[in-house]
Protein backbone atom coordinates (compact mmCIF):
# COMPACT_ATOMS: atom_id res chain seq x y z
CA UNK A 1 0.00 0.00 0.00
CA UNK A 2 2.92 2.33 0.58
CA UNK A 3 3.49 2.42 -3.14
CA UNK A 4 0.01 3.84 -3.52
CA UNK A 5 0.92 6.71 -1.23
CA UNK A 6 4.15 7.27 -3.10
CA UNK A 7 2.19 7.72 -6.32
CA UNK A 8 -0.16 10.25 -4.78
CA UNK A 9 0.24 13.82 -3.59
CA UNK A 10 -1.84 16.88 -2.80
CA UNK A 11 -5.59 16.66 -3.17
CA UNK A 12 -5.20 13.48 -5.22
CA UNK A 13 -3.20 11.96 -2.38
CA UNK A 14 -5.91 12.79 0.15
CA UNK A 15 -8.51 11.26 -2.15
CA UNK A 16 -6.39 8.14 -2.51
CA UNK A 17 -6.02 7.76 1.25
CA UNK A 18 -9.71 8.35 1.70
CA UNK A 19 -10.58 5.77 -0.93
CA UNK A 20 -8.23 3.20 0.59
CA UNK A 21 -9.69 3.90 4.03
CA UNK A 22 -13.24 3.40 2.79
CA UNK A 23 -12.31 0.12 1.10
CA UNK A 24 -10.55 -1.24 4.19
CA UNK A 25 -13.33 0.16 6.36
CA UNK A 26 -15.87 -1.82 4.34
CA UNK A 27 -13.85 -4.94 5.07
CA UNK A 28 -13.70 -4.18 8.80
CA UNK A 29 -17.44 -3.52 8.75
CA UNK A 30 -18.09 -6.93 7.21
CA UNK A 31 -16.19 -8.61 10.04
CA UNK A 32 -17.76 -6.31 12.64
CA UNK A 33 -21.25 -7.40 11.59
CA UNK A 34 -20.49 -10.88 12.91
CA UNK A 35 -19.53 -9.46 16.30
CA UNK A 36 -22.50 -7.19 16.50
CA UNK A 37 -25.08 -9.80 15.48
CA UNK A 38 -24.03 -12.30 18.15
CA UNK A 39 -23.77 -9.59 20.78
CA UNK A 40 -27.13 -8.18 19.80
CA UNK A 41 -28.84 -11.52 20.46
CA UNK A 42 -27.09 -13.06 23.47
CA UNK A 43 -24.82 -10.21 24.63
CA UNK A 44 -21.70 -12.30 24.06
CA UNK A 45 -18.49 -10.70 22.83
CA UNK A 46 -17.35 -13.54 20.62
CA UNK A 47 -13.58 -13.16 20.79
CA UNK A 48 -13.19 -16.21 18.54
CA UNK A 49 -14.78 -14.38 15.60
CA UNK A 50 -11.48 -12.96 14.32
CA UNK A 51 -9.83 -16.37 14.34
CA UNK A 52 -12.85 -17.89 12.62
CA UNK A 53 -12.23 -15.28 9.92
CA UNK A 54 -8.62 -16.50 9.73
CA UNK A 55 -9.69 -20.13 9.30
CA UNK A 56 -12.04 -19.06 6.52
CA UNK A 57 -9.13 -17.43 4.70
CA UNK A 58 -7.13 -20.65 5.06
CA UNK A 59 -9.97 -22.68 3.58
CA UNK A 60 -10.23 -20.30 0.62
CA UNK A 61 -6.49 -20.66 0.11
CA UNK A 62 -6.79 -24.44 0.33
CA UNK A 63 -9.54 -24.40 -2.30
CA UNK A 64 -7.31 -22.34 -4.58
CA UNK A 65 -4.41 -24.77 -4.09
CA UNK A 66 -6.62 -27.76 -4.90
CA UNK A 67 -8.13 -25.96 -7.87
CA UNK A 68 -4.79 -25.21 -9.48
CA UNK A 69 -3.62 -28.79 -8.90
CA UNK A 70 -6.74 -30.48 -10.23
CA UNK A 71 -7.83 -28.23 -13.07
CA UNK A 72 -5.84 -28.80 -16.23
CA UNK A 73 -5.40 -26.46 -19.17
CA UNK A 74 -5.58 -22.69 -18.89
CA UNK A 75 -6.31 -21.88 -15.22
CA UNK A 76 -5.74 -18.15 -15.66
CA UNK A 77 -8.63 -17.48 -18.05
CA UNK A 78 -11.73 -15.56 -17.03
CA UNK A 79 -14.01 -18.61 -16.72
CA UNK A 80 -11.68 -20.78 -14.57
CA UNK A 81 -10.96 -17.85 -12.24
CA UNK A 82 -14.66 -16.97 -12.03
CA UNK A 83 -15.50 -20.59 -11.22
CA UNK A 84 -12.86 -20.63 -8.46
CA UNK A 85 -14.20 -17.37 -7.00
CA UNK A 86 -17.74 -18.77 -6.97
CA UNK A 87 -16.43 -21.88 -5.22
CA UNK A 88 -14.66 -19.76 -2.61
CA UNK A 89 -17.63 -17.48 -1.97
CA UNK A 90 -19.97 -20.47 -1.55
CA UNK A 91 -17.91 -23.00 0.40
CA UNK A 92 -15.99 -20.65 2.71
CA UNK A 93 -19.09 -18.99 4.26
CA UNK A 94 -20.68 -22.44 4.65
CA UNK A 95 -17.54 -23.71 6.39
CA UNK A 96 -17.37 -20.72 8.76
CA UNK A 97 -21.11 -20.86 9.46
CA UNK A 98 -20.88 -24.56 10.36
CA UNK A 99 -17.81 -24.01 12.52
CA UNK A 100 -19.41 -21.11 14.36
CA UNK A 101 -22.61 -23.10 14.95
CA UNK A 102 -20.49 -26.02 16.20
CA UNK A 103 -18.67 -23.72 18.65
CA UNK A 104 -22.00 -22.44 19.92
CA UNK A 105 -23.39 -25.95 20.32
CA UNK A 106 -20.28 -27.33 22.01
CA UNK A 107 -19.06 -24.41 24.14
CA UNK A 108 -21.55 -21.57 24.49
CA UNK A 109 -24.95 -23.27 24.67
CA UNK A 110 -24.09 -25.29 27.83
CA UNK A 111 -23.10 -21.99 29.48
CA UNK A 112 -26.19 -20.04 28.43
CA UNK A 113 -27.28 -19.44 32.04
CA UNK A 114 -23.77 -19.14 33.51
CA UNK A 115 -22.16 -15.87 34.65
CA UNK A 116 -21.21 -13.70 31.70
CA UNK A 117 -17.54 -13.68 32.72
CA UNK A 118 -17.51 -17.48 32.31
CA UNK A 119 -18.78 -17.23 28.75
CA UNK A 120 -16.26 -14.51 27.89
CA UNK A 121 -13.36 -16.60 29.17
CA UNK A 122 -14.72 -19.52 27.14
CA UNK A 123 -14.82 -17.36 24.02
CA UNK A 124 -11.18 -16.40 24.59
CA UNK A 125 -10.37 -20.11 24.93
CA UNK A 126 -12.16 -20.90 21.66
CA UNK A 127 -10.18 -18.09 20.04
CA UNK A 128 -6.90 -19.75 21.02
CA UNK A 129 -8.18 -23.15 19.83
CA UNK A 130 -9.01 -21.67 16.42
CA UNK A 131 -5.66 -19.86 16.28
CA UNK A 132 -3.76 -23.07 16.97
CA UNK A 133 -5.82 -24.91 14.38
CA UNK A 134 -4.67 -22.27 11.90
CA UNK A 135 -1.06 -22.66 13.03
CA UNK A 136 -1.30 -26.43 12.57
CA UNK A 137 -3.04 -26.03 9.19
CA UNK A 138 -0.70 -23.62 7.38
CA UNK A 139 2.25 -23.07 9.74
CA UNK A 140 3.63 -19.86 11.25
CA UNK A 141 4.87 -18.26 8.04
CA UNK A 142 2.60 -15.87 6.11
CA UNK A 143 1.30 -17.53 2.95
CA UNK A 144 0.76 -15.76 -0.35
CA UNK A 145 -2.83 -15.78 -1.55
CA UNK A 146 -3.34 -16.29 -5.32
CA UNK A 147 -3.56 -13.04 -7.26
CA UNK A 148 -6.89 -13.72 -8.96
CA UNK A 149 -8.15 -10.17 -9.52
CA UNK A 150 -6.14 -7.67 -11.58
CA UNK A 151 -4.66 -4.50 -10.08
CA UNK A 152 -5.37 -2.50 -13.24
CA UNK A 153 -6.16 1.16 -12.59
CA UNK A 154 -9.68 1.74 -13.91
CA UNK A 155 -9.37 5.54 -14.08
CA UNK A 156 -5.83 6.32 -15.28
CA UNK A 157 -4.85 9.97 -15.44
CA UNK A 158 -7.35 11.00 -12.77
CA UNK A 159 -4.89 11.21 -9.89
CA UNK A 160 -6.69 8.33 -8.19
CA UNK A 161 -5.96 4.65 -8.34
CA UNK A 162 -9.12 2.54 -8.36
CA UNK A 163 -8.58 -1.12 -9.19
CA UNK A 164 -10.80 -4.14 -9.74
CA UNK A 165 -9.82 -5.23 -6.23
CA UNK A 166 -11.31 -2.03 -4.77
CA UNK A 167 -14.44 -2.58 -6.81
CA UNK A 168 -14.58 -6.18 -5.63
CA UNK A 169 -14.41 -5.21 -1.93
CA UNK A 170 -17.18 -2.63 -2.20
CA UNK A 171 -19.14 -4.75 -4.68
CA UNK A 172 -19.24 -7.66 -2.24
CA UNK A 173 -19.58 -5.87 1.08
CA UNK A 174 -22.31 -3.35 0.24
CA UNK A 175 -24.82 -5.91 -1.14
CA UNK A 176 -24.09 -8.23 1.79
CA UNK A 177 -24.76 -5.43 4.29
CA UNK A 178 -27.96 -4.40 2.51
CA UNK A 179 -29.16 -8.02 2.32
CA UNK A 180 -28.46 -8.49 6.03
CA UNK A 181 -30.40 -5.35 6.90
CA UNK A 182 -33.38 -6.46 4.80
CA UNK A 183 -33.18 -9.96 6.28
CA UNK A 184 -33.23 -8.73 9.87
CA UNK A 185 -36.01 -6.20 9.28
CA UNK A 186 -38.43 -8.08 7.05
CA UNK A 187 -38.07 -11.87 7.40
CA UNK A 188 -39.70 -14.02 10.04
CA UNK A 189 -36.34 -15.20 11.35
CA UNK A 190 -35.05 -11.65 11.42
CA UNK A 191 -38.07 -10.52 13.43
CA UNK A 192 -37.52 -13.46 15.80
CA UNK A 193 -33.92 -12.32 16.20
CA UNK A 194 -35.00 -8.80 17.10
CA UNK A 195 -37.60 -10.11 19.52
CA UNK A 196 -35.05 -12.37 21.20
CA UNK A 197 -32.58 -9.49 21.39
CA UNK A 198 -35.11 -7.19 23.06
CA UNK A 199 -36.50 -9.65 25.57
CA UNK A 200 -35.53 -13.34 25.41
CA UNK A 201 -38.08 -14.39 28.02
CA UNK A 202 -40.97 -12.64 26.29
CA UNK A 203 -39.82 -14.07 22.96
CA UNK A 204 -39.98 -17.60 24.39
CA UNK A 205 -43.46 -16.94 25.77
CA UNK A 206 -44.51 -15.88 22.28
CA UNK A 207 -43.45 -19.28 20.94
CA UNK A 208 -40.06 -18.32 19.51
CA UNK A 209 -37.47 -21.08 19.70
CA UNK A 210 -34.61 -19.05 21.18
CA UNK A 211 -32.02 -21.80 20.73
CA UNK A 212 -32.82 -22.02 17.03
CA UNK A 213 -32.64 -18.25 16.69
CA UNK A 214 -29.26 -18.14 18.45
CA UNK A 215 -27.92 -20.98 16.30
CA UNK A 216 -29.05 -19.12 13.17
CA UNK A 217 -27.36 -15.97 14.45
CA UNK A 218 -24.06 -17.82 14.89
CA UNK A 219 -24.47 -19.30 11.40
CA UNK A 220 -25.05 -15.89 9.83
CA UNK A 221 -22.21 -14.32 11.79
CA UNK A 222 -19.90 -17.14 10.70
CA UNK A 223 -20.98 -16.81 7.06
CA UNK A 224 -20.17 -13.10 7.19
CA UNK A 225 -16.71 -13.95 8.53
CA UNK A 226 -16.33 -16.41 5.64
CA UNK A 227 -17.22 -13.80 3.03
CA UNK A 228 -14.88 -11.30 4.68
CA UNK A 229 -12.04 -13.83 4.70
CA UNK A 230 -12.29 -14.43 0.95
CA UNK A 231 -12.45 -10.69 0.26
CA UNK A 232 -9.47 -10.11 2.55
CA UNK A 233 -7.37 -12.82 0.88
CA UNK A 234 -8.13 -11.54 -2.61
CA UNK A 235 -7.40 -7.93 -1.61
CA UNK A 236 -4.40 -8.22 0.71
CA UNK A 237 -2.94 -11.34 -1.03
CA UNK A 238 -1.32 -12.68 2.12
CA UNK A 239 -2.75 -14.67 5.03
CA UNK A 240 -1.31 -15.99 8.27
CA UNK A 241 -2.54 -17.59 11.44
CA UNK A 242 -2.35 -14.32 13.42
CA UNK A 243 -4.36 -12.23 10.94
CA UNK A 244 -7.53 -12.82 12.96
CA UNK A 245 -6.19 -10.98 16.00
CA UNK A 246 -5.48 -7.58 14.47
CA UNK A 247 -8.39 -7.58 12.03
CA UNK A 248 -10.71 -8.94 14.70
CA UNK A 249 -9.56 -6.20 17.07
CA UNK A 250 -10.23 -3.51 14.46
CA UNK A 251 -13.63 -5.03 13.68
CA UNK A 252 -14.56 -5.32 17.35
CA UNK A 253 -13.49 -1.69 17.83
CA UNK A 254 -15.66 -0.73 14.85
CA UNK A 255 -18.64 -2.52 16.38
CA UNK A 256 -18.14 -0.76 19.73
CA UNK A 257 -17.56 2.61 18.06
CA UNK A 258 -20.75 2.33 16.02
CA UNK A 259 -22.78 0.90 18.92
CA UNK A 260 -22.35 -2.83 19.41
CA UNK A 261 -25.52 -4.74 18.61
CA UNK A 262 -26.44 -2.17 15.96
CA UNK A 263 -25.99 -3.23 12.29
CA UNK A 264 -25.76 0.26 10.72
CA UNK A 265 -23.51 1.23 13.62
CA UNK A 266 -21.08 -1.59 12.80
CA UNK A 267 -20.89 -0.40 9.21
CA UNK A 268 -20.35 3.23 10.25
CA UNK A 269 -17.76 2.20 12.82
CA UNK A 270 -15.87 0.12 10.23
CA UNK A 271 -15.75 3.00 7.78
CA UNK A 272 -14.57 5.44 10.47
CA UNK A 273 -11.82 3.04 11.59
CA UNK A 274 -10.71 2.45 8.01
CA UNK A 275 -10.58 6.14 7.06
CA UNK A 276 -8.95 7.31 10.30
CA UNK A 277 -6.39 4.51 10.12
CA UNK A 278 -5.32 5.25 6.53
CA UNK A 279 -5.29 9.03 6.96
CA UNK A 280 -3.29 8.55 10.16
CA UNK A 281 -0.73 6.41 8.31
CA UNK A 282 -0.46 8.95 5.52
CA UNK A 283 -0.13 12.15 7.55
CA UNK A 284 1.18 11.06 10.97
CA UNK A 285 3.04 7.86 10.13
CA UNK A 286 2.12 4.20 10.47
CA UNK A 287 3.36 4.07 14.07
CA UNK A 288 0.71 6.60 15.15
CA UNK A 289 -2.18 5.08 13.22
CA UNK A 290 -3.42 2.66 15.87
CA UNK A 291 -2.91 5.20 18.66
CA UNK A 292 -5.02 7.68 16.70
CA UNK A 293 -7.80 5.12 16.11
CA UNK A 294 -8.10 4.19 19.75
CA UNK A 295 -7.72 7.79 20.97
CA UNK A 296 -10.71 8.76 18.82
CA UNK A 297 -12.58 5.71 20.09
CA UNK A 298 -11.96 6.74 23.71
CA UNK A 299 -13.01 10.34 23.08
CA UNK A 300 -16.23 9.28 21.36
CA UNK A 301 -17.08 6.77 24.07
CA UNK A 302 -16.48 9.40 26.75
CA UNK A 303 -19.30 11.45 25.26
CA UNK A 304 -21.39 8.58 23.82
CA UNK A 305 -20.74 5.44 25.89
CA UNK A 306 -23.18 3.45 23.75
CA UNK A 307 -21.35 4.29 20.50
CA UNK A 308 -22.28 6.53 17.59
CA UNK A 309 -25.59 4.82 16.81
CA UNK A 310 -26.07 2.71 19.93
CA UNK A 311 -29.03 3.05 22.27
CA UNK A 312 -29.12 2.63 26.01
CA UNK A 313 -30.08 -0.95 26.81
CA UNK A 314 -29.96 -3.33 29.71
CA UNK A 315 -26.61 -4.34 31.17
CA UNK A 316 -24.02 -5.38 28.59
CA UNK A 317 -20.92 -7.52 28.97
Amino acid sequence: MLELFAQSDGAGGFGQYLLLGLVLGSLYALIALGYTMVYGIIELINFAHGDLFMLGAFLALQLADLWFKQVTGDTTGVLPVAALLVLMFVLTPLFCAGLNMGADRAFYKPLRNSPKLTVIVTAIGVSFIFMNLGLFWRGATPVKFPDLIPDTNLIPGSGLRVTWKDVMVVGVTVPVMLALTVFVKFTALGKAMRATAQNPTAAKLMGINADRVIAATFAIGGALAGVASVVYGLYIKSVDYQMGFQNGLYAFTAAVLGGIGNIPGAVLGGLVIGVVGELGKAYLGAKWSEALIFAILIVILLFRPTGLLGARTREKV
Side-chain angles (χ1 to χ4, degrees):
M1 295 173 191
L2 292 177
E3 62 270 23
L4 293 181
F5 300 143
Q7 294 169 7
S8 307
D9 54 10
F14 176 82
Q16 189 65 62
Y17 311 142
L18 183 64
L19 173 68
L20 189 56
L22 290 173
V23 171
L24 289 176
S26 299
L27 185 54
Y28 297 146
L30 199 52
I31 307 171
L33 287 172
Y35 279 105
T36 212
M37 285 203 65
V38 170
Y39 184 86
I41 301 297
I42 60 172
E43 299 182 359
L44 165 67
I45 299 173
N46 186 9
F47 287 105
H49 190 75
D51 297 294
L52 179 73
F53 158 79
M54 174 270 296
L55 290 177
F58 279 9
L59 179 74
L61 180 61
Q62 193 71 47
L63 290 172
D65 289 345
L66 292 173
W67 179 269
F68 288 120
K69 285 180 182 176
Q70 297 299 324
V71 175
T72 57
D74 179 17
T75 59
T76 60
V78 174
L79 288 180
V81 169
L84 175 57
L85 292 177
V86 169
L87 197 65
M88 286 179 175
F89 277 111
V90 171
L91 294 185
T92 306
L94 289 175
F95 167 75
C96 291
L99 196 55
N100 216 23
M101 285 181 67
D104 173 53
R105 183 70 180 84
F107 304 115
Y108 304 136
K109 187 178 178 181
L111 300 175
R112 205 76 86 204
N113 298 315
S114 300
K116 292 175 180 176
L117 189 58
T118 305
V119 187
I120 288 178
V121 171
T122 303
I124 294 173
V126 175
S127 169
F128 278 102
I129 291 173
F130 284 175
M131 185 183 291
N132 278 274
L133 284 175
L135 178 61
F136 178 76
W137 191 348
R138 300 297 302 206
T141 307
V143 185
K144 184 180 179 183
F145 203 90
D147 192 6
L148 300 176
I149 298 180
D151 277 321
T152 309
N153 188 2
L154 299 178
I155 48 172
S158 66
L160 289 177
R161 179 179 171 81
V162 180
T163 68
W164 284 114
K165 283 188 170 68
D166 299 318
V167 174
M168 179 271 299
V169 173
V170 177
V172 171
T173 55
V174 171
V176 168
M177 294 171 193
L178 292 176
L180 181 64
T181 301
V182 170
F183 174 82
V184 170
K185 282 191 175 182
F186 299 109
T187 67
L189 181 56
K191 292 175 182 175
M193 286 178 174
R194 285 190 286 146
T196 304
Q198 289 181 3
N199 192 324
T201 303
K204 288 179 182 177
L205 292 174
M206 295 296 291
I208 294 174
N209 187 330
D211 286 335
R212 186 175 299 174
V213 170
I214 293 170
T217 304
F218 271 91
I220 294 170
L224 290 169
V227 173
S229 67
V230 178
V231 172
Y232 179 92
L234 293 171
Y235 189 76
I236 303 296
K237 297 185 292 187
S238 177
V239 295
D240 65 88
Y241 81 102
Q242 291 182 315
M243 60 181 269
F245 175 75
Q246 184 179 45
N247 290 288
L249 183 61
Y250 282 157
F252 174 65
T253 304
V256 173
L257 180 62
I260 192 162
N262 185 301
I263 292 176
V267 175
L268 178 60
L271 294 177
V272 171
I273 295 286
V275 170
V276 169
E278 293 311 310
L279 290 179
K281 285 179 187 174
Y283 294 108
L284 298 178
K287 62 183 178 182
W288 292 106
S289 174
E290 292 183 354
L292 180 63
I293 289 173
F294 286 96
I296 290 176
L297 171 70
I298 292 170
V299 170
I300 290 177
L301 293 182
L302 282 175
F303 292 96
R304 287 192 60 85
T306 56
L308 294 172
L309 300 183
R312 292 188 181 278
T313 59
R314 63 185 188 279
E315 181 190 0
K316 303 288 187 183
V317 178

